[in-house]
Amino acid sequence: MASKKNSKATFTYGGVKMSFTKSKTQAAVQYTPGLTKPQTKRSSRGAAKPPEQIEGFEVFNASRNLDQKLDDLRAQPDVTVGTHIWHVDGEDDTPFIPTGNLYIEFKLNTDDAKQTAILEEFHLNIIEVVNPDAYRVSVTQLSPNPIKCAMLLQKKKIITVAEPEFLTTPVAGAFSPPVGRFIASQWHLENTGGQIPIIDIPNAVFGTSHFRRGADSKVKEAWAYLGDYGSSSIKIAVIDTGFAIDHPQLRGNGGKITNMYNAANRSADVSPWFRASDGSWGVFSHGTSCAAVAAGALDVQGVLGAAPNARIIPIKLDILSDDAIKNAFEHALLNGADIVTCSLGFPKPVPLSTYVTNYLAKVAREGRRGKGLPMFFAAGNANPASNYQPRQVSDFAAHPEGFCVTASNSLDEFSDYSFYGANAFLCAPTNGNDGVGITTATVDTNGSGQLSLTYTSAFGGTSSATPLAAGVCALMLSANPNLTLYDIKNILRQTTDKIGPSNAYNANGHSQYYGYGRINALKAVKMADGMSGGAPVSTPTSGTGTGSTTPQPPASSTQRGKVVSKYLNVRSGPSTAYAKVAQLNYGDIVNLLEKGSGFWRIGNGQFVSADYIQPLASNGATVNTRQGKVTSATLNVRSGPSAANAKVGQLKKGAVVSIYETSSNGWHRIGSGSWVAGPYIQET
């Protein structure tokens, strides 16, 4: 007696245990390209409804004997694939068609012979080598069906991932603009010219005389163009005097805040509390508001930042010294910040020290794994003290690698409190003159001496304009994460709106008041989206790597390395999430230009995993990886080079590790995304 075929399947897919049900009435076939398909039978009532087509598969229905009909079709010479259709358990409105392909990952460094044995056991053909331990494969006539094959493979001890490839139709989810009582109060995102409610004064409004339609940053239009609120992979480092991280705007879904850091005492305490000279306690609200303007999460009232999905790295800088400033920007650099916004400045117009100036240049140059880190600085707000005379903005805002942001208001006028001068790069909407303030998060103390997490419609200054510009930059990087710092500057320079009198701008389109103009998020995001990322890929210096240009010998002064795996993918960025742009083979020699996050940069837009590169000495001899032994009873393994990063594992005393690199703060990288504190490792 034939065994009953399984109609349900449960297996891990995308890291989640999923259950699928086989359709009792639908299946799909794929015909060989170029061959004539069988003609659909016609009834006396006219033409039959054409079968549903899903990317080369033809879906057919059978109220009974589905398996027999599918077997009959599989036997036809013009049918390449015949398969059952599956549905997510309990959701039978969407078909999932197994294509016959699977993705398989073996445990790291699994022996080649064992990998081959598994592939031969299941009669699988390799269609892509993803890395030395991962493959895309296709089933053959001798293989189990793709679903059964994945379930059997997942039971193998040397396999960590085995997933079938499904084909289905996408859902075109329309973007839903934010809603809430105070969404209109955020005129800086979209200015309709109408009156708006004041969030912290009940039943009060700002009248229409304070607004000019279109005097805004065009952020809401940029969201509509993107179809979302930006990428959650973008991280904005906000450098300020303290943060109320439990505020709904900053807390978001619980994962918005990451890598908190106090630059003065090198701790994770970013509290907004401060102690006054008379011994009393107070609260700095400035940092909370700045962070919320840049990336505040959407809440029930409709209040949100320019890039609501972006994550926030809160860096408390409540004292200005070379050491503290360096610590703040170094933390942003080491923890993967994509953007820095800083609305702080010295109390008097003094320049940055040469040490700090040079270090900020290093951060701008090396950030974002060599693409360059955009840093937005507030021009300053005390212009009446300079008798309204244009003056060179000072300290952070004067740094040549930064973006100096001045202020415009809700009437598209220059805010007369803002510093201005040759350093101005652009202006962004905020309060000033007859305009109104920004509605956003704030923090205060209540009568019990506790933090009161509230909102205000009175935030402003270049302090607000600057994080708004940073949030727009986050939307640009969401559209195109491969933009370099040069690209970002070029886009922002070209896409601003010229406001104010025409004679305010010189022949180069620059104004000492407005910079190159008022920021326009929609234009900037569109231009970023339209730019192609990356650069031509260079080939290795030997072997048969699949690069696309003529091989170039490594510069004599550049460190070199040898590929020690069978295959090694070259990525456009420093993680496996980036696109594959080339492939290297065992023995290929490459330039080792820069190392970070477990990857070597081997060329412009070319990165390879450091785990599969053996560094070479200048004479061509291999350089042995350093070894170390754990000296503490237990040692936490972190995802990055500080205790503020997530714990990803733990080692016991005596454990021996390989040391691939050491960060500037003394942490050792012992694997991809695995770091330990150097004081607890004794090198052997």
Side-chain angles (χ1 to χ4, degrees):
M1 178 183 242
S3 61
K4 184 178 179 180
K5 294 185 177 179
N6 291 328
S7 61
K8 289 186 177 291
T10 300
F11 52 90
T12 301
Y13 186 84
V16 178
K17 187 76 76 174
M18 298 283 293
S19 292
F20 291 85
T21 302
K22 187 190 299 183
S23 174
K24 297 179 180 179
T25 60
Q26 286 187 312
V29 293
Q30 186 180 57
Y31 290 95
T32 304
L35 294 183
T36 303
K37 300 178 184 178
Q39 294 296 313
T40 303
K41 293 182 179 180
R42 294 176 180 270
S43 69
S44 58
R45 297 186 180 183
K49 181 181 178 181
E52 182 182 2
Q53 300 284 332
I54 302 179
E55 193 63 30
F57 280 85
E58 186 174 286
V59 177
F60 68 88
N61 298 279
S63 58
R64 59 182 180 177
N65 300 325
L66 178 65
D67 288 345
Q68 183 60 53
K69 185 173 182 179
L70 182 57
D71 287 341
D72 291 343
L73 286 170
R74 286 170 173 158
Q76 294 182 9
D78 55 352
V79 172
T80 306
V81 177
T83 179
H84 286 89
I85 284 177
W86 296 76
H87 301 284
V88 175
D89 217 7
E91 306 283 343
D92 59 0
D93 57 342
T94 303
F96 284 82
I97 302 172
T99 65
N101 297 334
L102 297 95
Y103 175 70
I104 299 174
E105 283 186 8
F106 291 90
K107 286 186 176 179
L108 189 64
N109 298 323
T110 296
D111 183 73
D112 288 350
K114 292 181 179 179
Q115 295 184 12
T116 301
I118 290 287
L119 299 179
E120 290 179 348
E121 177 185 348
F122 288 87
H123 305 284
L124 301 171
N125 287 334
I126 296 175
I127 58 176
E128 180 187 351
V129 178
V130 180
N131 64 47
D133 299 303
Y135 305 88
R136 290 184 71 231
V137 299
S138 63
V139 298
T140 65
Q141 289 184 340
L142 298 176
S143 306
N145 70 65
I147 303 296
K148 184 177 181 180
C149 192
M151 294 171 68
L152 293 172
L153 286 167
Q154 287 187 8
K155 295 179 180 180
K156 299 289 185 179
K157 293 182 178 180
I158 63 171
I159 289 182
T160 57
V161 177
E163 297 174 355
E165 178 185 63
F166 284 117
L167 187 68
T168 190
T169 52
V171 177
F175 172 69
S176 299
V179 294
R181 181 184 175 192
F182 294 102
I183 185 64
S185 297
Q186 294 154 104
W187 63 266
H188 60 293
L189 307 177
E190 182 184 48
N191 188 341
T192 65
Q195 69 177 24
I196 64 171
I198 302 173
I199 198 168
D200 48 350
I201 305 178
N203 304 315
V205 298
F206 289 122
T208 57
S209 63
H210 297 289
F211 301 99
R212 177 180 178 183
R213 184 182 180 88
D216 56 60
S217 59
K218 309 295 183 290
V219 163
K220 286 186 70 175
E221 294 176 72
W223 293 338
Y225 176 83
L226 286 171
D228 55 37
Y229 298 115
S231 171
S232 60
S233 65
I234 302 299
K235 293 190 284 188
I236 303 176
V238 184
I239 300 177
D240 216 287
T241 51
F243 307 86
I245 60 172
D246 288 327
H247 198 293
Q249 289 272 282
L250 274 59
R251 186 178 67 248
N253 61 5
K256 178 175 275 293
I257 295 291
T258 182
N259 304 115
M260 299 180 295
Y261 186 62
N262 186 314
N265 60 29
R266 303 189 183 192
S267 72
D269 175 21
V270 296
S271 158
W273 290 102
F274 71 90
R275 193 158 193 171
S277 58
D278 62 0
S280 63
W281 287 92
V283 168
F284 287 125
S285 63
H286 192 264
T288 300
S289 297
C290 286
V293 169
L298 174 62
D299 65 17
V300 294
Q301 299 187 95
V303 181
L304 71 174
N309 285 348
R311 301 180 73 190
I312 297 169
I313 302 176
I315 302 175
K316 183 173 182 176
L317 183 64
D318 58 352
I319 186 170
L320 296 178
S321 67
D322 282 6
D323 190 53
I325 294 170
K326 187 255 189 182
N327 289 344
F329 285 86
E330 181 182 52
H331 184 78
L333 177 66
L334 291 178
N335 287 277
D338 297 288
I339 301 156
V340 170
T341 178
C342 177
S343 294
L344 300 179
F346 284 81
K348 296 295 181 181
V350 297
L352 296 175
S353 71
T354 302
Y355 172 77
V356 168
T357 298
N358 291 343
Y359 190 77
L360 294 192
K362 169 186 169 68
V363 171
R365 181 177 64 252
E366 297 182 0
R368 296 178 56 238
R369 302 173 179 91
K371 295 187 187 75
L373 180 59
M375 301 182 295
F376 292 84
F377 297 120
N381 306 322
N383 199 58
S386 61
N387 298 317
Y388 298 98
Q389 295 301 310
R391 60 168 251 197
Q392 190 79 11
V393 291
S394 59
D395 53 76
F396 296 108
H399 197 283
E401 296 297 334
F403 294 84
C404 173
V405 183
T406 63
S408 62
N409 69 5
S410 52
L411 294 163
D412 255 352
E413 301 168 339
F414 179 74
S415 299
D416 59 14
Y417 57 73
S418 177
F419 285 148
Y420 53 99
N423 291 86
F425 192 90
L426 54 79
C427 63
T430 182
N431 69 340
N433 306 357
D434 292 327
V436 303
I438 301 299
T439 297
T440 189
T442 190
V443 61
D444 205 341
T445 57
N446 58 26
S448 302
Q450 297 176 322
L451 292 181
S452 177
L453 308 177
T454 59
Y455 296 84
T456 180
S457 289
F459 191 53
T462 57
S463 292
S464 181
T466 302
L468 175 58
V472 170
C473 186
L475 299 181
M476 293 165 57
L477 292 177
S478 298
N480 186 347
N482 293 317
L483 295 175
T484 65
L485 180 57
Y486 174 83
D487 294 331
I488 294 168
K489 287 187 175 182
N490 192 43
I491 290 171
L492 290 176
R493 184 183 293 113
Q494 294 186 56
T495 59
T496 51
D497 291 330
K498 295 291 191 285
I499 63 171
S502 58
N503 61 5
Y505 298 87
N506 63 22
N508 296 319
H510 182 266
S511 165
Q512 61 184 356
Y513 300 98
Y514 307 98
Y516 289 98
R518 192 237 305 122
I519 197 165
N520 184 314
L522 177 62
K523 289 182 182 179
V525 167
K526 280 185 173 181
M527 187 171 178
D529 189 35
M531 292 179 62
S532 59
V537 177
S538 62
T539 57
T541 62
S542 63
T544 57
T546 56
S548 59
T549 60
T550 305
Q552 298 294 323
S556 59
S557 60
T558 301
Q559 186 180 4
R560 297 185 297 167
K562 182 172 72 173
V563 177
V564 294
S565 58
K566 184 192 301 184
Y567 306 106
L568 182 57
N569 289 332
V570 181
R571 303 278 180 178
S572 61
S575 86
T576 56
Y578 287 86
K580 174 183 174 183
V581 296
Q583 181 177 286
L584 303 173
N585 295 325
Y586 181 85
D588 287 339
I589 307 297
V590 293
N591 291 330
L592 304 181
L593 304 177
E594 178 184 16
K595 185 195 283 185
S597 301
F599 276 71
W600 277 108
R601 183 170 68 86
I602 62 172
N604 191 8
Q606 304 165 66
F607 296 81
V608 294
S609 172
D611 294 338
Y612 305 109
I613 293 291
Q614 176 66 63
L616 301 175
S618 58
N619 62 1
T622 59
V623 177
N624 293 326
T625 303
R626 295 148 58 204
Q627 300 287 314
K629 184 163 55 175
V630 177
T631 58
S632 57
T634 59
L635 180 59
N636 289 333
V637 182
R638 303 280 181 176
S639 61
S642 81
N645 290 282
K647 177 183 173 182
V648 296
Q650 189 176 75
L651 301 172
K652 293 184 179 180
K653 185 173 183 178
V656 177
V657 296
S658 296
I659 301 173
Y660 295 99
E661 64 177 306
T662 301
S663 68
S664 60
N665 61 344
W667 283 62
H668 298 315
R669 186 176 69 82
I670 61 172
S672 181
S674 300
W675 295 78
V676 293
Y680 305 106
I681 295 290
Q682 180 181 2
E683 292 195 34
T684 57

